[in-house]
Amino acid sequence: MKAIIIDDERLARQELKHLLEAHKDTITVIGEATNGKEGIALIKELSPDLVFLDIQMPEMNGFEMLKQLEEIPKVIFVTAYDDHALDAFKVNALDYLLKPVEPELLKGTIEKLVNHSEEDFFSSDENHRSERKLTIQDHIFLKDGEKCFFPELKDVRYFESQGNYVRVFFNNERPMILRSLNALQDRLSTEDFFRANRKYLINIHHIESIENWFNGGLKVKLSDDIEIEVSRRQTIRFKDIMML
């Protein structure tokens, strides 16, 4: 797959090229551009399959550049800002990587690019996204007041119901969103998330240990050392699903 990198920061281009060396059997970088104007010319000249595109660039940002193209190749945004996620959905971007790019996240993006259809990435087709369960490979857009977040579901350790709101725990963040835990449960893959009790929905991939608890229930310890009780009713369901 032929790719070009469009970024006004020389060190950022070099770092991404270095990371892509690990995937040279899949992706070949055939050119670089330092701004949107150069990027348009390079795309027209080389017809790449894939563009790694920065958003914040002088004179013309990444979105403005794409608007000037008649035919848009596959796009993966690489940016230092996490507040453009919704705009990325609108232009059918395949993925949205934050700087500094983590090698494992880049690897995951390229693996999806090779092994799956575009429907596994960002999609402007909201109907498609709402029809399927979200897995730990999906990103979710969260807004809490003036702050925006765009984590991968694999990083979300658990959701905690707080009245009409749900608090989302991932990395060192814990934003609050106006959503019911039942609504979230309906959207998430049961292979990745489990309803421990009325208050908690947990990511089973973050379970570190499990022990028997009172009244036939369980107590699970997550990767951040928090302990959550699994109700007796949900313990029966958990064992039915997880036991050999």
Side-chain angles (χ1 to χ4, degrees), residues 202-218:
I202 62 175
N203 184 338
I204 63 174
H205 303 283
H206 282 272
I207 295 177
E208 295 285 334
S209 63
I210 304 175
E211 62 180 277
N212 290 318
W213 203 237
F214 297 109
N215 300 319
L218 294 171

Side-chain angles (χ1 to χ4, degrees), residues 41-240:
L42 202 60
I43 289 171
K44 291 180 178 178
E45 176 187 353
L46 301 179
S47 299
D49 305 302
L50 177 66
V51 175
F52 291 92
L53 179 61
D54 189 17
I55 293 178
Q56 297 291 353
M57 295 184 291
E59 297 183 13
M60 182 190 304
N61 67 35
F63 295 115
E64 292 168 339
M65 191 206 81
L66 293 178
K67 289 179 181 178
Q68 297 193 29
L69 293 172
E70 293 182 4
E71 295 185 9
I72 300 177
K74 293 180 175 67
V75 176
I76 295 174
F77 283 110
V78 184
T79 175
Y81 303 92
D82 63 357
D83 54 353
H84 296 290
L86 289 182
D87 292 323
F89 274 99
K90 294 176 183 178
V91 296
N92 292 335
L94 294 182
D95 216 336
Y96 188 99
L97 299 173
L98 291 177
K99 298 177 182 179
V101 176
E102 296 183 20
E104 283 302 310
L105 294 182
L106 178 63
K107 179 182 177 182
T109 292
I110 292 174
E111 287 177 350
K112 288 188 290 184
L113 183 63
V114 172
N115 298 323
H116 301 278
S117 69
E118 291 185 15
E119 291 182 345
D120 292 313
F121 291 88
F122 276 60
S123 173
S124 62
D125 184 355
E126 295 180 359
N127 290 329
H128 164 73
R129 193 173 160 90
S130 64
E131 286 170 1
R132 67 176 176 85
K133 298 284 188 177
L134 300 180
T135 72
I136 57 171
Q137 294 181 337
D138 285 294
H139 288 78
I140 53 172
F141 179 78
L142 307 172
K143 191 173 188 299
D144 184 357
E146 296 302 316
K147 297 188 68 175
C148 296
F149 306 89
F150 194 57
E152 280 189 286
L153 276 169
K154 71 178 181 64
D155 295 324
V156 176
R157 299 184 298 277
Y158 61 98
F159 299 89
E160 180 183 5
S161 175
Q162 297 186 5
N164 295 324
Y165 292 81
V166 169
R167 191 173 291 281
V168 187
F169 292 80
F170 62 94
N171 302 329
N172 294 319
E173 307 292 347
R174 42 184 295 178
M176 184 98 77
I177 60 174
L178 180 59
R179 189 69 59 88
S180 72
L181 205 58
N182 287 337
L184 284 176
Q185 184 178 0
D186 289 341
R187 291 298 318 280
L188 300 174
S189 167
T190 55
E191 295 182 0
D192 300 312
F193 291 88
F194 182 78
R195 184 71 174 265
N197 52 50
R198 292 182 179 180
K199 190 173 182 180
Y200 291 100
L201 181 64
I202 62 175
N203 184 338
I204 63 174
H205 303 283
H206 282 272
I207 295 177
E208 295 285 334
S209 63
I210 304 175
E211 62 180 277
N212 290 318
W213 203 237
F214 297 109
N215 300 319
L218 294 171
K219 183 170 70 173
V220 299
K221 183 178 181 180
L222 301 184
S223 56
D224 59 355
D225 290 333
I226 188 172
E227 296 179 336
I228 294 176
E229 295 181 24
V230 181
S231 69
R232 181 179 179 182
R233 177 180 177 182
Q234 289 303 93
T235 292
I236 295 172
R237 183 167 177 267
F238 184 82
K239 291 179 178 179
D240 286 342

